[in-house]
Amino acid sequence: MPRHVDIELLAPARDADIAIAAIDHGADAVYMGASHHGARADATNTLDDVRRACDHAHQFGARIYATVNTLVYDDELMEVERLVHDLYRIGVDALIVQDMALLRLDLPPIALHASTQCDLRTPDKARFLEALGFSQLVMARELTLDEIAAIRKVTTVPLEAFVHGALCVSYSGRCAISQVLKGRSANRGECAQLCRLPYDLVDGKGRILVQGKHLLSLRDMAQHDRLQQMMAAGVSSFKIEGRLKDAGYVKNVVAYYRRAIDQIISREPERYRRASCGSVELTFDPDIHKSFNRGFTHYFLDGRRPVDGTAMASIDTPKSQGEYLGHALRCNGNTLTIGTQAPLANGDGLSYTDSRGQFAGVRVNRILSDGTVLLRERADIPRGTDIYRTADKAFTDLLAKPSATRVITVDAIMRYTSGLLSLTLTDERANRVTHTLPCDLQTAAKPQGDRQRTELAKLGGTIYRLRDAQVLGDIFIPASLLSQLRRETIEMLDRAHSITRHIDKRRPEEMSHPCPVNTLTPADNVANRLAEALYRDHGVTDITPALEAGTPPTAATPLMHTRYCIRRQLGACLQGPNANRLPRDLYLKTGPTLLHIHCNCAACEMTLTHPSK
């Protein structure tokens, strides 16, 4: 292990503008889709846009990862191969991939990261993926700290973990519900989000036990207060979910986690360091509660039950819960008084749970001088009801403007010897350049130090900021000459960084390392001949192709495989004292669709099947 562990904050980006904003607000790396074969079909980008993001990121030693993480069909393999060559040519630092076929294509030596769709939950699987040549491993969201530590013990490559954002209720890559029920494969970037729908919970006789609740809709993950424990367990890349989120969301969440990570690094500088360079200056105070969230959970990081007792699911609504303000003191028609110290603004959006248990929202029309809130709509909000702000207009307006500046500090030394004026610049990225101009200079009649420092500090339009300068205070240097020297030396510094920037390469494959299992099911997502060949090279003997590749689903096909359990969420775990609170045979019903719930108590997991298949 190196003396320092490089800690990476990895941000999502729907497009190049958001990628650049993420870098400016403190991201060490950004993951974004290319033109096709990314697991978010609505977040694609042209090569020119990806190149623009790369050029901006690389100035700060930050990186761009392209998501090529869908299943690939046989007739698409050459198209994907061409795409990867194009991405490598424009400077993409690594690919995040799911389909093992990419390891058998004729690719440039670009680093490959194993996507969370690779279903990395065990040390054996982690060691196998490392042996295949992956340079970074994205672990399942469901892992505990102890399980992460166990994976760290058997691997040497960086481990990546999600720390914030929406949660898939199923193990990533092992959800077929959208494919089977809607013909839209999540593993092809077309998830229909069926987990966010309301369902009735019914028994074997069709009797409704719970009506119209979002029983599969999880809260959003937030591990901001677990970062140090995750680092200690072996995580070095902290990933924010949200490639479909807007720029305001990305700016706020990235800036929030940048501060949190930097605080840990500052306390343990002998152990950790940032994975990129440049200091960030913000125009706002980041707060994750002000961005879209369904309420927060640590999920399984602390084990089967969160230590703070909060639920994992948000069964009343899949919509944003927002920022807690306080409770209602009085409500009369469109007049509301809230017990809160938070300043409200015209246009804010408020939410609450009404007397029927339904999620409801209202908009602020005006704030009176005494703090009374005038609503645009009439509302019936009982005294004591918790009120949340789901839209903070002032905060949103602030983030709609330029809200961060990221700079590289540079030190300057000027010298004049034998008719040669030189400027040496050293930046925080460890680059050092010297540029020399021939000239005939004379001793100055009055001190020149302040004027020279001011001229050297004119770095507007660049990413640099002058920190310290040793100048020639007793020599007169014309402003035009000093400006030329500064400009040309900065250009040299840019070229030096471009030439010396470290680029990760793909790791070699260990052909003798066996796959942990010798039988693969449709849930293992083998969709083409090259992926099948790779697995057979590593000892797999029995392979049933993915559903997307033509394997027909049956009544026994798991449509969803999850560590989350509805029975546990509702306080009726079969291994607990309240098991009889619900019948043993349970189903989820939405419209005509019926899903059978199976609880595997030995593994503490749940699967859903479709009995009519």
Side-chain angles (χ1 to χ4, degrees), residues 137-170:
L137 307 180
V138 189
M139 296 178 293
R141 295 169 172 90
E142 291 80 0
L143 298 186
T144 68
L145 286 168
D146 288 343
E147 289 168 330
I148 292 171
I151 290 173
R152 175 74 288 165
K153 288 181 180 178
V154 302
T155 54
T156 61
V157 297
L159 298 180
E160 179 181 317
F162 283 90
V163 290
H164 193 90
L167 283 164
C168 291
V169 65
S170 181

PDB file of all heavy atoms in Angstrom, residues 137-170:
ATOM      1  N   LEU A 137     -13.091  -1.258  -8.483  1.00  0.00           N
ATOM      2  CA  LEU A 137     -14.241  -2.125  -8.280  1.00  0.00           C
ATOM      3  C   LEU A 137     -15.353  -1.354  -7.586  1.00  0.00           C
ATOM      4  O   LEU A 137     -15.167  -0.816  -6.490  1.00  0.00           O
ATOM      5  CB  LEU A 137     -13.857  -3.339  -7.430  1.00  0.00           C
ATOM      6  CG  LEU A 137     -12.651  -4.159  -7.899  1.00  0.00           C
ATOM      7  CD1 LEU A 137     -12.402  -5.319  -6.938  1.00  0.00           C
ATOM      8  CD2 LEU A 137     -12.871  -4.678  -9.317  1.00  0.00           C
ATOM      9  N   VAL A 138     -16.524  -1.303  -8.229  1.00  0.00           N
ATOM     10  CA  VAL A 138     -17.679  -0.633  -7.643  1.00  0.00           C
ATOM     11  C   VAL A 138     -18.480  -1.670  -6.862  1.00  0.00           C
ATOM     12  O   VAL A 138     -19.037  -2.594  -7.448  1.00  0.00           O
ATOM     13  CB  VAL A 138     -18.561   0.011  -8.723  1.00  0.00           C
ATOM     14  CG1 VAL A 138     -19.629   0.884  -8.073  1.00  0.00           C
ATOM     15  CG2 VAL A 138     -17.719   0.819  -9.691  1.00  0.00           C
ATOM     16  N   MET A 139     -18.528  -1.498  -5.557  1.00  0.00           N
ATOM     17  CA  MET A 139     -19.178  -2.490  -4.709  1.00  0.00           C
ATOM     18  C   MET A 139     -20.687  -2.279  -4.652  1.00  0.00           C
ATOM     19  O   MET A 139     -21.198  -1.182  -4.889  1.00  0.00           O
ATOM     20  CB  MET A 139     -18.588  -2.434  -3.300  1.00  0.00           C
ATOM     21  CG  MET A 139     -17.122  -2.810  -3.247  1.00  0.00           C
ATOM     22  SD  MET A 139     -16.438  -2.681  -1.571  1.00  0.00           S
ATOM     23  CE  MET A 139     -16.520  -0.911  -1.310  1.00  0.00           C
ATOM     24  N   ALA A 140     -21.406  -3.342  -4.312  1.00  0.00           N
ATOM     25  CA  ALA A 140     -22.853  -3.255  -4.140  1.00  0.00           C
ATOM     26  C   ALA A 140     -23.196  -2.254  -3.046  1.00  0.00           C
ATOM     27  O   ALA A 140     -22.487  -2.124  -2.044  1.00  0.00           O
ATOM     28  CB  ALA A 140     -23.418  -4.632  -3.796  1.00  0.00           C
ATOM     29  N   ARG A 141     -24.307  -1.562  -3.220  1.00  0.00           N
ATOM     30  CA  ARG A 141     -24.735  -0.568  -2.249  1.00  0.00           C
ATOM     31  C   ARG A 141     -25.128  -1.192  -0.913  1.00  0.00           C
ATOM     32  O   ARG A 141     -25.180  -0.518   0.119  1.00  0.00           O
ATOM     33  CB  ARG A 141     -25.946   0.201  -2.787  1.00  0.00           C
ATOM     34  CG  ARG A 141     -25.690   1.052  -4.013  1.00  0.00           C
ATOM     35  CD  ARG A 141     -27.040   1.513  -4.556  1.00  0.00           C
ATOM     36  NE  ARG A 141     -26.954   2.493  -5.614  1.00  0.00           N
ATOM     37  CZ  ARG A 141     -26.887   2.217  -6.908  1.00  0.00           C
ATOM     38  NH1 ARG A 141     -26.840   0.943  -7.294  1.00  0.00           N
ATOM     39  NH2 ARG A 141     -26.858   3.169  -7.812  1.00  0.00           N
ATOM     40  N   GLU A 142     -25.433  -2.480  -0.928  1.00  0.00           N
ATOM     41  CA  GLU A 142     -26.009  -3.139   0.249  1.00  0.00           C
ATOM     42  C   GLU A 142     -24.986  -3.563   1.294  1.00  0.00           C
ATOM     43  O   GLU A 142     -25.362  -4.099   2.349  1.00  0.00           O
ATOM     44  CB  GLU A 142     -26.784  -4.392  -0.208  1.00  0.00           C
ATOM     45  CG  GLU A 142     -28.043  -4.125  -0.998  1.00  0.00           C
ATOM     46  CD  GLU A 142     -27.795  -3.806  -2.469  1.00  0.00           C
ATOM     47  OE1 GLU A 142     -26.610  -3.785  -2.894  1.00  0.00           O
ATOM     48  OE2 GLU A 142     -28.763  -3.586  -3.197  1.00  0.00           O
ATOM     49  N   LEU A 143     -23.704  -3.356   1.075  1.00  0.00           N
ATOM     50  CA  LEU A 143     -22.680  -3.936   1.943  1.00  0.00           C
ATOM     51  C   LEU A 143     -22.558  -3.209   3.278  1.00  0.00           C
ATOM     52  O   LEU A 143     -22.760  -2.005   3.378  1.00  0.00           O
ATOM     53  CB  LEU A 143     -21.328  -3.924   1.238  1.00  0.00           C
ATOM     54  CG  LEU A 143     -21.235  -4.734  -0.057  1.00  0.00           C
ATOM     55  CD1 LEU A 143     -19.799  -4.745  -0.556  1.00  0.00           C
ATOM     56  CD2 LEU A 143     -21.748  -6.145   0.132  1.00  0.00           C
ATOM     57  N   THR A 144     -22.186  -3.973   4.300  1.00  0.00           N
ATOM     58  CA  THR A 144     -21.884  -3.418   5.606  1.00  0.00           C
ATOM     59  C   THR A 144     -20.411  -3.025   5.668  1.00  0.00           C
ATOM     60  O   THR A 144     -19.606  -3.407   4.806  1.00  0.00           O
ATOM     61  CB  THR A 144     -22.177  -4.430   6.715  1.00  0.00           C
ATOM     62  OG1 THR A 144     -21.238  -5.516   6.602  1.00  0.00           O
ATOM     63  CG2 THR A 144     -23.591  -4.988   6.613  1.00  0.00           C
ATOM     64  N   LEU A 145     -20.045  -2.301   6.704  1.00  0.00           N
ATOM     65  CA  LEU A 145     -18.638  -1.945   6.887  1.00  0.00           C
ATOM     66  C   LEU A 145     -17.759  -3.179   7.004  1.00  0.00           C
ATOM     67  O   LEU A 145     -16.656  -3.224   6.446  1.00  0.00           O
ATOM     68  CB  LEU A 145     -18.484  -1.065   8.126  1.00  0.00           C
ATOM     69  CG  LEU A 145     -18.966   0.384   8.006  1.00  0.00           C
ATOM     70  CD1 LEU A 145     -19.017   1.042   9.369  1.00  0.00           C
ATOM     71  CD2 LEU A 145     -18.079   1.172   7.057  1.00  0.00           C
ATOM     72  N   ASP A 146     -18.226  -4.180   7.728  1.00  0.00           N
ATOM     73  CA  ASP A 146     -17.441  -5.411   7.880  1.00  0.00           C
ATOM     74  C   ASP A 146     -17.271  -6.131   6.548  1.00  0.00           C
ATOM     75  O   ASP A 146     -16.194  -6.685   6.260  1.00  0.00           O
ATOM     76  CB  ASP A 146     -18.103  -6.347   8.896  1.00  0.00           C
ATOM     77  CG  ASP A 146     -17.972  -5.853  10.330  1.00  0.00           C
ATOM     78  OD1 ASP A 146     -17.116  -4.978  10.580  1.00  0.00           O
ATOM     79  OD2 ASP A 146     -18.734  -6.327  11.191  1.00  0.00           O
ATOM     80  N   GLU A 147     -18.321  -6.128   5.721  1.00  0.00           N
ATOM     81  CA  GLU A 147     -18.224  -6.787   4.416  1.00  0.00           C
ATOM     82  C   GLU A 147     -17.277  -6.027   3.488  1.00  0.00           C
ATOM     83  O   GLU A 147     -16.534  -6.648   2.718  1.00  0.00           O
ATOM     84  CB  GLU A 147     -19.623  -6.908   3.803  1.00  0.00           C
ATOM     85  CG  GLU A 147     -20.486  -7.938   4.519  1.00  0.00           C
ATOM     86  CD  GLU A 147     -21.944  -7.882   4.122  1.00  0.00           C
ATOM     87  OE1 GLU A 147     -22.423  -6.780   3.783  1.00  0.00           O
ATOM     88  OE2 GLU A 147     -22.620  -8.930   4.164  1.00  0.00           O
ATOM     89  N   ILE A 148     -17.275  -4.715   3.572  1.00  0.00           N
ATOM     90  CA  ILE A 148     -16.321  -3.925   2.789  1.00  0.00           C
ATOM     91  C   ILE A 148     -14.896  -4.234   3.232  1.00  0.00           C
ATOM     92  O   ILE A 148     -13.992  -4.420   2.399  1.00  0.00           O
ATOM     93  CB  ILE A 148     -16.627  -2.421   2.945  1.00  0.00           C
ATOM     94  CG1 ILE A 148     -17.961  -2.083   2.283  1.00  0.00           C
ATOM     95  CG2 ILE A 148     -15.496  -1.581   2.350  1.00  0.00           C
ATOM     96  CD1 ILE A 148     -18.451  -0.681   2.566  1.00  0.00           C
ATOM     97  N   ALA A 149     -14.684  -4.303   4.539  1.00  0.00           N
ATOM     98  CA  ALA A 149     -13.343  -4.592   5.063  1.00  0.00           C
ATOM     99  C   ALA A 149     -12.865  -5.971   4.618  1.00  0.00           C
ATOM    100  O   ALA A 149     -11.678  -6.162   4.322  1.00  0.00           O
ATOM    101  CB  ALA A 149     -13.347  -4.490   6.587  1.00  0.00           C
ATOM    102  N   ALA A 150     -13.778  -6.937   4.551  1.00  0.00           N
ATOM    103  CA  ALA A 150     -13.404  -8.277   4.101  1.00  0.00           C
ATOM    104  C   ALA A 150     -12.986  -8.271   2.633  1.00  0.00           C
ATOM    105  O   ALA A 150     -12.054  -8.982   2.236  1.00  0.00           O
ATOM    106  CB  ALA A 150     -14.572  -9.243   4.316  1.00  0.00           C
ATOM    107  N   ILE A 151     -13.643  -7.463   1.811  1.00  0.00           N
ATOM    108  CA  ILE A 151     -13.267  -7.340   0.408  1.00  0.00           C
ATOM    109  C   ILE A 151     -11.912  -6.650   0.282  1.00  0.00           C
ATOM    110  O   ILE A 151     -11.066  -7.031  -0.534  1.00  0.00           O
ATOM    111  CB  ILE A 151     -14.364  -6.585  -0.364  1.00  0.00           C
ATOM    112  CG1 ILE A 151     -15.615  -7.477  -0.483  1.00  0.00           C
ATOM    113  CG2 ILE A 151     -13.876  -6.141  -1.739  1.00  0.00           C
ATOM    114  CD1 ILE A 151     -16.817  -6.766  -1.070  1.00  0.00           C
ATOM    115  N   ARG A 152     -11.687  -5.634   1.119  1.00  0.00           N
ATOM    116  CA  ARG A 152     -10.413  -4.920   1.073  1.00  0.00           C
ATOM    117  C   ARG A 152      -9.236  -5.854   1.369  1.00  0.00           C
ATOM    118  O   ARG A 152      -8.148  -5.702   0.783  1.00  0.00           O
ATOM    119  CB  ARG A 152     -10.443  -3.775   2.083  1.00  0.00           C
ATOM    120  CG  ARG A 152      -9.147  -2.983   2.260  1.00  0.00           C
ATOM    121  CD  ARG A 152      -8.866  -2.051   1.093  1.00  0.00           C
ATOM    122  NE  ARG A 152      -8.460  -2.737  -0.138  1.00  0.00           N
ATOM    123  CZ  ARG A 152      -8.436  -2.172  -1.334  1.00  0.00           C
ATOM    124  NH1 ARG A 152      -8.816  -0.913  -1.503  1.00  0.00           N
ATOM    125  NH2 ARG A 152      -8.052  -2.851  -2.385  1.00  0.00           N
ATOM    126  N   LYS A 153      -9.432  -6.825   2.230  1.00  0.00           N
ATOM    127  CA  LYS A 153      -8.340  -7.722   2.622  1.00  0.00           C
ATOM    128  C   LYS A 153      -7.834  -8.576   1.473  1.00  0.00           C
ATOM    129  O   LYS A 153      -6.672  -8.990   1.472  1.00  0.00           O
ATOM    130  CB  LYS A 153      -8.794  -8.627   3.771  1.00  0.00           C
ATOM    131  CG  LYS A 153      -8.931  -7.907   5.110  1.00  0.00           C
ATOM    132  CD  LYS A 153      -9.365  -8.872   6.202  1.00  0.00           C
ATOM    133  CE  LYS A 153      -9.498  -8.155   7.543  1.00  0.00           C
ATOM    134  NZ  LYS A 153      -9.958  -9.066   8.630  1.00  0.00           N
ATOM    135  N   VAL A 154      -8.680  -8.859   0.480  1.00  0.00           N
ATOM    136  CA  VAL A 154      -8.272  -9.771  -0.594  1.00  0.00           C
ATOM    137  C   VAL A 154      -8.000  -9.044  -1.904  1.00  0.00           C
ATOM    138  O   VAL A 154      -7.734  -9.686  -2.923  1.00  0.00           O
ATOM    139  CB  VAL A 154      -9.327 -10.878  -0.808  1.00  0.00           C
ATOM    140  CG1 VAL A 154      -9.561 -11.664   0.471  1.00  0.00           C
ATOM    141  CG2 VAL A 154     -10.637 -10.292  -1.334  1.00  0.00           C
ATOM    142  N   THR A 155      -8.090  -7.709  -1.910  1.00  0.00           N
ATOM    143  CA  THR A 155      -7.899  -6.954  -3.150  1.00  0.00           C
ATOM    144  C   THR A 155      -6.832  -5.876  -2.964  1.00  0.00           C
ATOM    145  O   THR A 155      -6.511  -5.487  -1.841  1.00  0.00           O
ATOM    146  CB  THR A 155      -9.211  -6.279  -3.592  1.00  0.00           C
ATOM    147  OG1 THR A 155      -9.728  -5.494  -2.505  1.00  0.00           O
ATOM    148  CG2 THR A 155     -10.240  -7.306  -4.005  1.00  0.00           C
ATOM    149  N   THR A 156      -6.303  -5.401  -4.083  1.00  0.00           N
ATOM    150  CA  THR A 156      -5.297  -4.336  -4.040  1.00  0.00           C
ATOM    151  C   THR A 156      -5.727  -3.094  -4.807  1.00  0.00           C
ATOM    152  O   THR A 156      -5.167  -2.018  -4.588  1.00  0.00           O
ATOM    153  CB  THR A 156      -3.963  -4.839  -4.628  1.00  0.00           C
ATOM    154  OG1 THR A 156      -4.159  -5.211  -6.000  1.00  0.00           O
ATOM    155  CG2 THR A 156      -3.444  -6.033  -3.842  1.00  0.00           C
ATOM    156  N   VAL A 157      -6.699  -3.223  -5.714  1.00  0.00           N
ATOM    157  CA  VAL A 157      -7.133  -2.078  -6.509  1.00  0.00           C
ATOM    158  C   VAL A 157      -8.092  -1.216  -5.698  1.00  0.00           C
ATOM    159  O   VAL A 157      -8.653  -1.666  -4.693  1.00  0.00           O
ATOM    160  CB  VAL A 157      -7.807  -2.543  -7.817  1.00  0.00           C
ATOM    161  CG1 VAL A 157      -6.815  -3.292  -8.688  1.00  0.00           C
ATOM    162  CG2 VAL A 157      -9.031  -3.399  -7.518  1.00  0.00           C
ATOM    163  N   PRO A 158      -8.300   0.041  -6.095  1.00  0.00           N
ATOM    164  CA  PRO A 158      -9.228   0.912  -5.362  1.00  0.00           C
ATOM    165  C   PRO A 158     -10.641   0.355  -5.331  1.00  0.00           C
ATOM    166  O   PRO A 158     -11.129  -0.233  -6.307  1.00  0.00           O
ATOM    167  CB  PRO A 158      -9.163   2.225  -6.150  1.00  0.00           C
ATOM    168  CG  PRO A 158      -7.835   2.221  -6.819  1.00  0.00           C
ATOM    169  CD  PRO A 158      -7.572   0.790  -7.162  1.00  0.00           C
ATOM    170  N   LEU A 159     -11.296   0.567  -4.183  1.00  0.00           N
ATOM    171  CA  LEU A 159     -12.683   0.154  -4.000  1.00  0.00           C
ATOM    172  C   LEU A 159     -13.574   1.383  -4.017  1.00  0.00           C
ATOM    173  O   LEU A 159     -13.309   2.374  -3.340  1.00  0.00           O
ATOM    174  CB  LEU A 159     -12.858  -0.600  -2.678  1.00  0.00           C
ATOM    175  CG  LEU A 159     -12.081  -1.892  -2.520  1.00  0.00           C
ATOM    176  CD1 LEU A 159     -12.362  -2.528  -1.165  1.00  0.00           C
ATOM    177  CD2 LEU A 159     -12.396  -2.880  -3.648  1.00  0.00           C
ATOM    178  N   GLU A 160     -14.640   1.286  -4.785  1.00  0.00           N
ATOM    179  CA  GLU A 160     -15.577   2.399  -4.963  1.00  0.00           C
ATOM    180  C   GLU A 160     -16.907   2.040  -4.319  1.00  0.00           C
ATOM    181  O   GLU A 160     -17.393   0.917  -4.461  1.00  0.00           O
ATOM    182  CB  GLU A 160     -15.748   2.662  -6.461  1.00  0.00           C
ATOM    183  CG  GLU A 160     -16.696   3.760  -6.840  1.00  0.00           C
ATOM    184  CD  GLU A 160     -16.784   3.896  -8.353  1.00  0.00           C
ATOM    185  OE1 GLU A 160     -15.739   3.842  -9.036  1.00  0.00           O
ATOM    186  OE2 GLU A 160     -17.917   4.042  -8.861  1.00  0.00           O
ATOM    187  N   ALA A 161     -17.504   2.997  -3.612  1.00  0.00           N
ATOM    188  CA  ALA A 161     -18.783   2.754  -2.946  1.00  0.00           C
ATOM    189  C   ALA A 161     -19.692   3.958  -3.119  1.00  0.00           C
ATOM    190  O   ALA A 161     -19.240   5.108  -3.082  1.00  0.00           O
ATOM    191  CB  ALA A 161     -18.573   2.470  -1.466  1.00  0.00           C
ATOM    192  N   PHE A 162     -20.973   3.696  -3.299  1.00  0.00           N
ATOM    193  CA  PHE A 162     -21.954   4.774  -3.332  1.00  0.00           C
ATOM    194  C   PHE A 162     -22.100   5.375  -1.937  1.00  0.00           C
ATOM    195  O   PHE A 162     -22.123   4.656  -0.941  1.00  0.00           O
ATOM    196  CB  PHE A 162     -23.307   4.248  -3.795  1.00  0.00           C
ATOM    197  CG  PHE A 162     -23.396   4.019  -5.273  1.00  0.00           C
ATOM    198  CD1 PHE A 162     -23.057   2.794  -5.819  1.00  0.00           C
ATOM    199  CD2 PHE A 162     -23.834   5.025  -6.128  1.00  0.00           C
ATOM    200  CE1 PHE A 162     -23.140   2.570  -7.188  1.00  0.00           C
ATOM    201  CE2 PHE A 162     -23.925   4.809  -7.494  1.00  0.00           C
ATOM    202  CZ  PHE A 162     -23.578   3.588  -8.025  1.00  0.00           C
ATOM    203  N   VAL A 163     -22.212   6.701  -1.893  1.00  0.00           N
ATOM    204  CA  VAL A 163     -22.391   7.364  -0.599  1.00  0.00           C
ATOM    205  C   VAL A 163     -23.619   8.260  -0.559  1.00  0.00           C
ATOM    206  O   VAL A 163     -24.047   8.661   0.524  1.00  0.00           O
ATOM    207  CB  VAL A 163     -21.161   8.210  -0.207  1.00  0.00           C
ATOM    208  CG1 VAL A 163     -19.995   7.331   0.118  1.00  0.00           C
ATOM    209  CG2 VAL A 163     -20.814   9.229  -1.275  1.00  0.00           C
ATOM    210  N   HIS A 164     -24.189   8.577  -1.707  1.00  0.00           N
ATOM    211  CA  HIS A 164     -25.321   9.498  -1.682  1.00  0.00           C
ATOM    212  C   HIS A 164     -26.197   9.305  -2.906  1.00  0.00           C
ATOM    213  O   HIS A 164     -25.700   9.046  -4.005  1.00  0.00           O
ATOM    214  CB  HIS A 164     -24.841  10.949  -1.645  1.00  0.00           C
ATOM    215  CG  HIS A 164     -25.924  11.930  -1.306  1.00  0.00           C
ATOM    216  ND1 HIS A 164     -26.214  12.297  -0.019  1.00  0.00           N
ATOM    217  CD2 HIS A 164     -26.818  12.593  -2.086  1.00  0.00           C
ATOM    218  CE1 HIS A 164     -27.214  13.155  -0.010  1.00  0.00           C
ATOM    219  NE2 HIS A 164     -27.606  13.343  -1.259  1.00  0.00           N
ATOM    220  N   GLY A 165     -27.509   9.447  -2.704  1.00  0.00           N
ATOM    221  CA  GLY A 165     -28.439   9.458  -3.816  1.00  0.00           C
ATOM    222  C   GLY A 165     -29.423   8.304  -3.796  1.00  0.00           C
ATOM    223  O   GLY A 165     -29.502   7.531  -2.837  1.00  0.00           O
ATOM    224  N   ALA A 166     -30.174   8.189  -4.870  1.00  0.00           N
ATOM    225  CA  ALA A 166     -31.234   7.198  -4.969  1.00  0.00           C
ATOM    226  C   ALA A 166     -30.689   5.783  -4.871  1.00  0.00           C
ATOM    227  O   ALA A 166     -29.581   5.491  -5.330  1.00  0.00           O
ATOM    228  CB  ALA A 166     -31.993   7.376  -6.283  1.00  0.00           C
ATOM    229  N   LEU A 167     -31.486   4.912  -4.273  1.00  0.00           N
ATOM    230  CA  LEU A 167     -31.118   3.508  -4.105  1.00  0.00           C
ATOM    231  C   LEU A 167     -31.983   2.620  -4.988  1.00  0.00           C
ATOM    232  O   LEU A 167     -33.214   2.753  -5.000  1.00  0.00           O
ATOM    233  CB  LEU A 167     -31.309   3.074  -2.650  1.00  0.00           C
ATOM    234  CG  LEU A 167     -30.252   3.524  -1.649  1.00  0.00           C
ATOM    235  CD1 LEU A 167     -30.765   3.377  -0.223  1.00  0.00           C
ATOM    236  CD2 LEU A 167     -28.979   2.718  -1.833  1.00  0.00           C
ATOM    237  N   CYS A 168     -31.373   1.715  -5.739  1.00  0.00           N
ATOM    238  CA  CYS A 168     -32.110   0.637  -6.384  1.00  0.00           C
ATOM    239  C   CYS A 168     -32.506  -0.365  -5.304  1.00  0.00           C
ATOM    240  O   CYS A 168     -31.654  -0.783  -4.512  1.00  0.00           O
ATOM    241  CB  CYS A 168     -31.249  -0.061  -7.428  1.00  0.00           C
ATOM    242  SG  CYS A 168     -30.874   0.939  -8.870  1.00  0.00           S
ATOM    243  N   VAL A 169     -33.764  -0.748  -5.269  1.00  0.00           N
ATOM    244  CA  VAL A 169     -34.185  -1.692  -4.240  1.00  0.00           C
ATOM    245  C   VAL A 169     -33.591  -3.073  -4.495  1.00  0.00           C
ATOM    246  O   VAL A 169     -33.317  -3.834  -3.569  1.00  0.00           O
ATOM    247  CB  VAL A 169     -35.729  -1.757  -4.159  1.00  0.00           C
ATOM    248  CG1 VAL A 169     -36.327  -2.306  -5.437  1.00  0.00           C
ATOM    249  CG2 VAL A 169     -36.179  -2.568  -2.950  1.00  0.00           C
ATOM    250  N   SER A 170     -33.338  -3.396  -5.743  1.00  0.00           N
ATOM    251  CA  SER A 170     -32.737  -4.682  -6.089  1.00  0.00           C
ATOM    252  C   SER A 170     -31.221  -4.558  -6.124  1.00  0.00           C
ATOM    253  O   SER A 170     -30.675  -3.464  -6.312  1.00  0.00           O
ATOM    254  CB  SER A 170     -33.228  -5.145  -7.455  1.00  0.00           C
ATOM    255  OG  SER A 170     -32.685  -6.397  -7.796  1.00  0.00           O
TER     256      SER A 170
END
